[in-house]
Amino acid sequence: TMSLHGKRKEIYKYEAPWTVYAMNWSVRPDKRFRLALGSFVEEYNNKVQIVGLEEESSEFVCRNTFDHPYPTTKIMWIPDTKGVYPDLLATSGDYLRIWRVSDTETRLECLLNNNKNSDFCAPLTSFDWNEVDPNLLGTSSIDTTCTIWGLETGQVLGRVNLVSGHVKTQLIAHDKEVYDIAFSRAGGGRDMFASVGADGSVRMFDLRHLEHSTIIYEDPQHHPLLRLCWNKQDPNYLATMAMDGMEVVILDVRVPCTPVARLNNHRACVNGIAWAPHSSCHICTAADDHQALIWDIQQMPRAIEDPILAYTAEGEINNVQWASTQPDWIAICYNNCLEILRV
């Protein structure tokens, strides 16, 4: 375990050689302060770095860097808190890629392409890795579809490539581009997921009954919805935000189409949302106004006027991630910097 708590430093900072966009915490028990970062460079050649906090020096160090075509729209470690699966990392961009991480290098294990019959690939806007069943991933695409992938991580002797994937199901989820997808913990946590997109709607699906979906919310002005995020403790609640929007809308699936709360203290467009992993009533929002705000939504449906905690970064915050295995740490990224904050 890290001896950080003895030092009680509140902020650790890492500077990457490029603008950081995608970012995610590892959840492996033996890799506590490890994150993956994706570059945002407007060209084909991009990078992913794996960084870790060194216990002795309390400094972030880059453990390894590897090439990635196009910027990663999302990056996520396998949600394997017990460390029983291989140490895998997934990235989305032109395709969904699964990488195997070792101490010295990161190797591409498989590239998942859902459009086998065409040279054209519709970029993937996002993906989610199912926490209950890490052999399931879902991707969202600008071609209006969501694809659910089955992953095989069996240890096969005599074969080098031990990870493979196949399409379990592909569905047209929206009338326009789909921008985000997220599995819900409801009903066992395996079959329910929701998506948001350019048609301004939040839709919910059940893998067991794909013939229909439920529209949970529609943006009144039909603005595209960019992100959605399920409450980690109470699967009735989710948060979403519109393109160029300065507020985050909290929804209750039991009361469709009527937000139960609006968090609107940001002074510029919101870029990221992260629910607390350990509490059903705390959520962090981050925006172009350099602010990361933590809100207590306990008094819903009464209006929530002000955040309970505010942090001001030195730049527009692109992304925020709350560490699921270490709930007192939040990571943000802005410009070329990653910061982890003790909350």
Side-chain angles (χ1 to χ4, degrees), residues 47-82:
K47 301 281 185 195
V48 171
Q49 276 191 349
I50 293 167
V51 301
L53 202 53
E54 278 291 338
E55 215 174 327
E56 292 74 40
S57 62
S58 298
E59 299 285 328
F60 268 113
V61 293
C62 177
R63 303 248 192 259
N64 70 58
T65 302
F66 58 95
D67 293 322
H68 194 280
Y70 305 107
T72 54
T73 51
K74 188 169 178 178
I75 195 161
M76 197 176 173
W77 296 88
I78 185 166
D80 171 26
T81 50
K82 297 195 170 59

Side-chain angles (χ1 to χ4, degrees), residues 124-138:
L124 300 177
T125 49
S126 188
F127 73 95
D128 194 24
W129 206 324
N130 191 295
E131 287 181 14
V132 172
D133 181 358
N135 293 310
L136 279 182
L137 294 97

Side-chain angles (χ1 to χ4, degrees), residues 7 21 24 47 66 111 115 127 139 146 179 218 227 239 288 312 337:
K7 300 198 179 73
Y21 175 65
N24 187 244
K47 301 281 185 195
F66 58 95
L111 180 147
N115 206 342
F127 73 95
T139 55
C146 289
Y179 289 137
E218 288 185 287
R227 291 276 169 272
D288 272 356
T312 305
C337 297

Side-chain angles (χ1 to χ4, degrees), residues 51-327:
V51 301
L53 202 53
E54 278 291 338
E55 215 174 327
E56 292 74 40
S57 62
S58 298
E59 299 285 328
F60 268 113
V61 293
C62 177
R63 303 248 192 259
N64 70 58
T65 302
F66 58 95
D67 293 322
H68 194 280
Y70 305 107
T72 54
T73 51
K74 188 169 178 178
I75 195 161
M76 197 176 173
W77 296 88
I78 185 166
D80 171 26
T81 50
K82 297 195 170 59
V84 293
Y85 287 84
D87 198 2
L88 300 178
L89 180 69
T91 58
S92 53
D94 50 350
Y95 301 108
L96 179 66
R97 288 176 175 81
I98 312 289
W99 310 81
R100 181 186 297 251
V101 180
S102 72
D103 291 337
T104 49
E105 57 160 12
T106 303
R107 194 178 78 227
L108 181 63
E109 284 282 310
C110 62
L111 180 147
L112 302 176
N113 168 17
N114 58 4
N115 206 342
K116 289 280 185 282
N117 51 7
S118 153
D119 298 331
F120 169 77
C121 68
L124 300 177
T125 49
S126 188
F127 73 95
D128 194 24
W129 206 324
N130 191 295
E131 287 181 14
V132 172
D133 181 358
N135 293 310
L136 279 182
L137 294 97
T139 55
S140 57
S141 170
I142 63 167
D143 69 4
T144 76
T145 66
C146 289
T147 304
I148 305 298
W149 296 89
L151 203 64
E152 289 79 41
T153 54
Q155 302 289 340
V156 182
L157 286 172
R159 223 177 94 240
V160 184
N161 205 2
L162 303 175
V163 179
S164 60
H166 67 278
V167 173
K168 281 181 99 71
T169 186
Q170 185 174 26
L171 59 140
I172 294 172
H174 288 260
D175 308 326
K176 295 180 179 174
E177 297 93 332
V178 191
Y179 289 137
D180 202 5
I181 180 172
F183 287 104
S184 159
R185 289 195 177 178
R190 198 183 170 280
D191 298 294
M192 317 278 283
F193 67 93
S195 61
V196 292
D199 59 10
S201 69
V202 181
R203 302 189 183 201
M204 194 154 165
F205 300 87
D206 185 331
L207 288 173
R208 296 158 300 193
H209 311 285
L210 282 173
E211 59 284 351
H212 58 249
S213 64
T214 311
I215 294 184
I216 302 174
Y217 175 72
E218 288 185 287
D219 183 84
Q221 279 82 42
H222 302 290
H223 289 155
L225 298 175
L226 290 189
R227 291 276 169 272
L228 94 138
C229 201
W230 287 100
N231 186 307
K232 300 279 187 245
Q233 295 294 326
D234 186 339
N236 289 310
Y237 293 109
L238 68 140
T240 187
M241 65 196 215
M243 187 182 284
D244 302 325
M246 290 193 269
E247 68 172 13
V248 170
V249 173
I250 311 280
L251 307 169
D252 182 338
V253 295
R254 298 162 298 189
V255 194
C257 303
T258 313
V260 280
R262 294 176 183 278
L263 311 178
N264 49 18
N265 278 43
H266 283 290
R267 299 282 167 263
C269 73
V270 177
N271 297 319
I273 314 168
W275 287 95
H278 59 307
S279 149
S280 62
C281 55
H282 292 96
I283 187 170
C284 183
T285 59
D288 272 356
D289 60 6
H290 300 202
Q291 298 250 298
L293 305 177
I294 295 181
W295 307 78
D296 183 345
I297 59 165
Q298 225 167 342
Q299 69 232 34
M300 290 190 313
R302 290 215 317 278
I304 292 136
E305 301 291 335
D306 290 304
I308 53 168
L309 217 143
Y311 175 74
T312 305
E314 291 161 30
E316 300 178 349
I317 304 176
N318 297 327
N319 202 331
V320 56
Q321 297 281 327
W322 204 317
S324 58
T325 52
Q326 302 163 94

